[in-house]
Amino acid sequence: MLKQLHADNIKAFETVYGMFYVQLCRVAYKKLGDEALVEELVQDVFLNLWVKRKSLDTEGNLQAYLYATLRNKALSELRNRLLRSQHYIKVREEGGMFSVNIEDEYVARETELKIKKIIDSLPPQCREAFILSREEQLSYKAIAERMNISVNTVEKHVGKALKKLRTEFKDYNTPIIILLGLLALYRL
């Protein structure tokens, strides 16, 4: 059968699919217990077979190949579920540290508005250089090329913007401002 698959024989593929689809689904369902996921994994097994048909050993055991591929995909899925579950538990346990009350949210929004107002008050080139640097995360060299100015000028513009922000927020506790800004951006 592998020889026929190797020769791009669609009928051979359909025969293999018909022979093994239900068996593979049963095996996967015993391990995963999720019908939709099982169907997706088994479809992936057959897709993998078709994609790799040219590189498979034509003397190999097709059934063993299909079951090994399914086992690997199922183990990968179980591993991903475990990692997601552990991550979810960790986030829930640490969630109390990041809970936001209405006052914090208000302060975060006010801080965000103040930052926007300060940036909007910058001279046009300074504002553009700062936005390209922070929001688009471009390098100074890329900013210089885009704005058709020197890298040194970009450094001066970004430095001027940062100095203005530091001056405006000098009375604030910097780590709290950063946290509140993140809360406002990501709405944790």
Side-chain angles (χ1 to χ4, degrees), residues 131-165:
I131 289 171
L132 291 173
S133 167
R134 295 306 188 256
E135 290 181 12
E136 294 189 30
Q137 298 178 346
L138 296 178
S139 68
Y140 286 176
K141 183 178 179 184
I143 295 168
E145 289 171 3
R146 185 181 285 188
M147 293 179 65
N148 205 18
I149 56 177
S150 72
V151 173
N152 193 26
T153 304
V154 171
E155 289 174 0
K156 287 179 184 175
H157 284 316
V158 173
K160 180 179 180 178
L162 290 172
K163 183 177 179 183
K164 185 158 187 171
L165 284 167

Side-chain angles (χ1 to χ4, degrees), residues 17-132:
Y17 187 90
M19 287 172 52
F20 292 104
Y21 180 81
V22 173
Q23 291 174 331
L24 292 171
C25 284
R26 278 192 205 125
V27 169
Y29 189 78
K30 287 179 185 175
K31 300 285 184 200
L32 301 170
D34 180 340
E35 192 174 325
L37 177 62
V38 165
E39 289 177 6
E40 183 180 329
L41 288 179
V42 173
Q43 290 294 335
D44 283 350
V45 168
F46 284 105
L47 177 64
N48 190 52
L49 172 65
W50 184 254
V51 168
K52 294 187 175 185
R53 69 190 181 281
K54 298 269 189 202
S55 63
L56 295 175
D57 178 11
T58 56
E59 301 300 319
N61 183 337
L62 177 61
Q63 184 175 359
Y65 172 79
L66 292 172
Y67 279 95
T69 303
L70 177 63
R71 182 193 70 233
N72 291 338
K73 289 189 176 299
L75 286 173
S76 177
E77 178 59 31
L78 290 171
R79 191 172 27 255
N80 288 338
R81 281 184 180 184
L82 178 64
L83 288 173
R84 281 192 302 267
S85 155
Q86 289 172 342
H87 178 71
Y88 177 74
I89 290 168
K90 186 174 181 179
V91 167
R92 288 205 47 164
E93 287 172 352
E94 295 176 359
M97 293 173 29
F98 296 105
S99 63
V100 180
N101 64 33
I102 294 172
E103 184 180 337
D104 290 341
E105 207 168 300
Y106 173 77
V107 172
R109 284 193 185 125
E110 288 299 312
T111 304
E112 186 179 16
L113 289 172
K114 185 172 182 175
I115 290 170
K116 186 177 179 348
K117 186 176 178 182
I118 293 167
I119 292 170
D120 288 345
S121 73
L122 295 170
Q125 269 201 326
C126 182
R127 179 176 54 245
E128 183 180 356
F130 183 76
I131 289 171
L132 291 173

Side-chain angles (χ1 to χ4, degrees), residues 98 108 111 175-188:
F98 296 105
T111 304
I176 290 175
I177 293 303
I178 292 170
L179 177 61
L180 291 174
L182 287 173
L183 290 172
L185 289 173
Y186 298 108
R187 303 283 184 238
L188 293 175

Side-chain angles (χ1 to χ4, degrees), residues 163-176:
K163 183 177 179 183
K164 185 158 187 171
L165 284 167
R166 275 193 300 272
T167 302
E168 293 292 326
F169 285 103
K170 71 179 180 212
D171 296 332
Y172 289 79
N173 183 343
T174 304
I176 290 175

